[in-house]
Amino acid sequence: MKRKLFIISVLHVLFLAICWGGHAKDYYVHPTKGKDTNTGLSQSAAFQSLDKVNHLKLEAGDRVLLASGEVFLGAISLNDVKGMKSAPITFQSYAWNGGESLRAVIDAKSEDAGVLLKDCSWINIIGLEIKADGYDQNIEQNAKMRCGILVTNQEAEKVQGIEIDNVYIHDVFFANPGINRGENEIKTANGTQAYGWGIRVINSNPELMIQEVKISNCKVENVAHTGIKLTGKDHNIQQVKISNNEVIRPGGPGIQMSGVRFVHVLNNNVQYSGSPDDSRKWGRGSGLWTWGASQVMIEHNQFMHANGPADSAGAHIDFNCDNVVMQYNFSAFNAGGFCEILGNNFNCSYRFNISVNDGHREKGVGNAFQEGKVFWLSGYQGKKARKGPINSYFYNNTIYVSKDHTAKIAIENNSSGILIANNIFCIEGESKYVLGDQYNPDDGKGNVSLEHVTFANNLFYDKGNWPKEAMIYDQSPIYGNPQFANAGGEKPSDYIPSNANLVKQGIEVKRIEGDPFGLVRGLQMKTDFLGQEINGINFIGAIKPE
């Protein structure tokens, strides 16, 4: 009986899909050759404006085709528009009369967003270009932000099936040029003023849900604050994949997520986050960071040249997270550092990553009010008493710091459950122990619960690589030069070690004593940073020696 019901259900879905596919329409839009009095159903009868598109009664399978290479003023603004999983509603560029396939451009100056999807499901945004540089002074601005794309759930029980693919978003600013934000704005946790953002997904009601969101193959460049940002509450944004995107010169973080669960961040390239090159930008931000996030996999990304007087790591795990795994990432030249795990975090990990000259910022130099740190565990969790982090796994990472930088380490006495093993600490210069100075510095006193610490079998360039003031020490250190292919280079292959006999001395990584869970996908890896099969071999660093 159940099998019959299942077959009937599948046939019903297929029947609906066929019916919708038969009735689906293509709407053509051209800003100079179209008219809003036309039907929009052919190129010769195209619509002219986005406003006309916003008033269509779109149905599953419909496509809105914007003339490629043309500039459309205004915004796509949809409310409670829903396609189907098998027949999404699509907005995309269209080569007019067989012409060159360029992006259609949405100029959303003065608009809240270039594309606004409110309470919408099964919508595809493909191949568009969006810019939104400030506002016309004759148009009143009531919003507190401007976005390239904004997805939000305000009244629907569930928003799902949003796909943003191959979209170029650039020059998104709320303010016009010349604004002076004041010296204290950059010291606030996330900025308090109005900014421009790249792609935002927002769900502020914990009783509602946003799920099945894909953001892929996009480029976000030169925006006032964050490039790609997910803002949920109590994990009400779920099943999100952010892959193969470029985020270049955002004024804030490259990618940020809060209140989310089941997120996969894969193969993205974030460069120059926290960019200060326009006074309208915030001027601070990590390549990526999480807050209040659960079960997030961050892998095969590049995070380089993050800037800012605080935070601004390659990728960091802010407080209230669990099961966030950083693996196979290349982190280089980030002012704030490499590994940063803050308070009330459980079972988070950095493994099989490569870090190059991260944490080079010096407190008190310029406007910096926080030290850069190559390794930092902190109990900071906002206004609450410091706690944790709990069960932090840090293994098989390759860390290189050149002799012209000082490597800084901070481990607070609230940390409980730490594994540091099989890492290469190739620090050519000095190392220094500093306080965890996130707004309210830890006093640096007290003892870590040593029964919950595994600190063993790490390779150090020399005996001074781990500061003697630190509260914990490697119980079985190895010393020597891994002999990288091109130390200081900007490619992962520059950190292939040729001293094979030295780095072959790895140990098996096991769960921290007292931790019943470990990591959600297990501790043993199948491949190294370069994708080479490990085949059960234990070694030191992120790349298996030949």
Side-chain angles (χ1 to χ4, degrees):
M1 184 65 182
K2 288 183 178 179
R3 180 178 175 83
K4 287 183 178 180
L5 289 173
F6 173 76
I7 293 172
I8 291 171
S9 177
V10 170
L11 290 174
H12 179 66
V13 170
L14 290 173
F15 174 76
L16 289 175
I18 292 169
C19 291
W20 282 114
H23 295 312
K25 298 181 177 66
D26 284 348
Y27 294 100
Y28 297 84
V29 193
H30 196 294
T32 60
K33 297 180 180 179
K35 294 181 180 180
D36 285 347
T37 54
N38 288 340
T39 64
L41 297 176
S42 67
Q43 293 184 52
S44 60
F47 293 137
Q48 181 179 32
S49 71
L50 297 180
D51 186 61
K52 177 65 177 182
V53 171
N54 295 335
H55 289 88
L56 292 174
K57 292 183 178 180
L58 295 170
E59 297 181 343
D62 287 350
R63 297 193 304 167
V64 176
L65 306 174
L66 306 183
S68 66
E70 300 295 330
V71 178
F72 296 82
L73 302 180
I76 295 171
S77 183
L78 306 181
N79 186 3
D80 195 30
V81 174
K82 294 178 173 63
M84 296 174 59
K85 185 173 186 177
S86 58
I89 297 169
T90 300
F91 294 79
Q92 66 185 81
S93 301
Y94 181 80
W96 209 257
N97 290 323
E100 190 174 0
S101 296
L102 303 173
R103 297 179 189 274
V105 181
I106 295 177
D107 186 346
K109 183 175 183 176
S110 304
E111 302 287 345
D112 295 348
V115 175
L116 172 61
L117 304 180
K118 176 184 174 184
D119 300 341
C120 298
S121 289
W122 305 115
I123 306 290
N124 292 349
I125 308 297
I126 301 175
L128 301 179
E129 179 177 340
I130 302 170
K131 59 182 179 178
D133 193 353
Y135 62 96
D136 186 327
Q137 294 183 352
N138 296 318
I139 299 176
E140 184 177 0
Q141 299 293 291
N142 296 316
K144 294 183 179 180
M145 64 180 176
R146 197 178 324 284
C147 301
I149 297 177
L150 173 59
V151 179
T152 182
N153 189 354
Q154 298 186 11
E155 297 180 353
E157 180 180 350
K158 182 188 294 183
V159 162
Q160 61 185 330
I162 304 299
E163 183 167 345
I164 303 167
D165 182 62
N166 190 29
V167 176
Y168 177 34
I169 298 172
H170 62 97
D171 300 312
V172 182
F173 294 93
F174 185 87
N176 290 325
I179 187 175
N180 183 355
R181 294 198 179 276
E183 63 180 16
N184 291 324
E185 174 69 0
I186 201 171
K187 297 179 181 179
T188 61
N190 290 292
T192 62
Q193 301 174 17
Y195 289 92
W197 311 73
I199 300 171
R200 293 206 65 173
V201 179
I202 301 176
N203 189 5
S204 57
N205 187 336
E207 297 182 359
L208 305 179
M209 179 63 66
I210 295 178
Q211 65 184 39
E212 296 182 73
V213 176
K214 294 181 181 180
I215 303 170
S216 57
N217 306 304
C218 296
K219 183 174 183 178
V220 180
E221 183 175 23
N222 194 39
V223 299
H225 209 288
T226 306
I228 300 172
K229 184 175 177 67
L230 314 177
T231 306
K233 191 172 184 179
D234 297 340
H235 305 144
N236 64 353
I237 298 177
Q238 298 187 3
Q239 300 174 38
V240 179
K241 186 172 184 178
I242 302 171
S243 62
N244 301 301
N245 301 288
E246 284 188 274
V247 182
I248 312 296
R249 292 169 41 238
I255 302 170
Q256 197 279 324
M257 61 199 73
S258 302
V260 302
R261 177 175 283 159
F262 308 131
V263 178
H264 191 191
V265 183
L266 171 69
N267 199 34
N268 300 281
N269 180 15
V270 181
Q271 302 272 347
Y272 298 99
S273 57
S275 170
D277 62 0
D278 189 308
S279 65
R280 295 174 290 177
K281 293 183 176 181
W282 189 36
R284 167 185 171 184
S286 293
L288 176 149
W289 64 278
T290 64
W291 181 91
S294 175
Q295 301 196 49
V296 178
M297 177 63 71
I298 300 160
E299 59 180 343
H300 299 289
N301 303 283
Q302 285 196 87
F303 305 110
M304 299 179 68
H305 305 288
N307 170 77
D311 290 326
S312 305
H316 84 262
I317 305 171
D318 221 291
F319 55 92
N320 294 340
C321 296
D322 68 82
N323 297 291
V324 176
V325 175
M326 305 271 192
Q327 63 185 32
Y328 304 129
N329 300 296
F330 186 69
S331 175
F333 312 105
N334 299 294
F338 167 47
C339 172
E340 177 182 334
I341 306 177
L342 299 186
N344 200 39
N345 284 325
F346 294 82
N347 295 77
C348 295
S349 174
Y350 285 71
R351 61 185 183 184
F352 287 85
N353 303 284
I354 297 175
S355 168
V356 179
N357 280 331
D358 285 328
H360 55 78
R361 182 180 59 225
E362 296 183 24
K363 187 175 181 178
V365 176
N367 63 347
F369 59 91
Q370 188 184 91
E371 294 280 12
K373 294 173 275 291
V374 71
F375 184 87
W376 183 20
L377 302 180
S378 168
Y380 177 80
Q381 54 168 337
K383 296 180 180 179
K384 296 182 179 180
R386 297 172 109 82
K387 174 185 176 182
I390 312 297
N391 297 331
S392 303
Y393 289 82
F394 187 83
Y395 62 96
N396 280 97
N397 299 286
T398 294
I399 300 157
Y400 172 77
V401 182
S402 62
K403 61 184 178 181
D404 52 340
H405 294 296
T406 298
K408 285 156 286 195
I409 309 291
I411 302 174
E412 290 194 3
N413 54 29
N414 301 283
S415 304
S416 176
I418 304 171
L419 182 141
I420 306 172
N422 288 347
N423 300 288
I424 296 176
F425 290 93
C426 186
I427 300 171
E428 295 180 341
E430 296 182 356
S431 295
K432 181 181 179 182
Y433 187 73
V434 297
L435 297 182
D437 52 357
Q438 180 68 38
Y439 300 106
N440 299 306
D442 175 71
D443 60 13
K445 299 178 181 178
N447 293 311
V448 177
S449 301
L450 293 178
E451 67 271 21
H452 294 139
V453 175
T454 299
F455 192 174
N457 209 74
N458 297 278
L459 171 60
F460 299 93
Y461 184 74
D462 64 36
K463 292 184 178 180
N465 279 180
W466 192 261
K468 61 182 180 180
E469 300 86 1
M471 291 183 286
I472 58 175
Y473 310 93
D474 194 312
Q475 301 302 301
S476 52
I478 300 170
Y479 299 103
N481 186 347
Q483 298 176 2
F484 294 133
N486 180 31
E490 297 190 10
K491 302 189 303 295
S493 58
D494 292 328
Y495 298 90
I496 297 174
S498 61
N499 195 340
N501 290 332
L502 194 62
V503 299
K504 283 181 178 178
Q505 303 178 55
I507 60 172
E508 182 181 357
V509 173
K510 299 180 180 180
R511 284 205 309 260
I512 295 169
E513 185 177 354
D515 175 17
F517 304 110
L519 300 178
V520 288
R521 296 195 183 181
L523 296 172
Q524 307 308 317
M525 307 293 284
K526 294 182 179 180
T527 60
D528 72 354
F529 187 100
L530 297 178
Q532 302 175 105
E533 293 289 335
I534 290 176
N535 297 321
I537 297 172
N538 296 313
F539 55 91
I540 302 174
I543 299 176
K544 186 180 76 170
E546 295 182 357

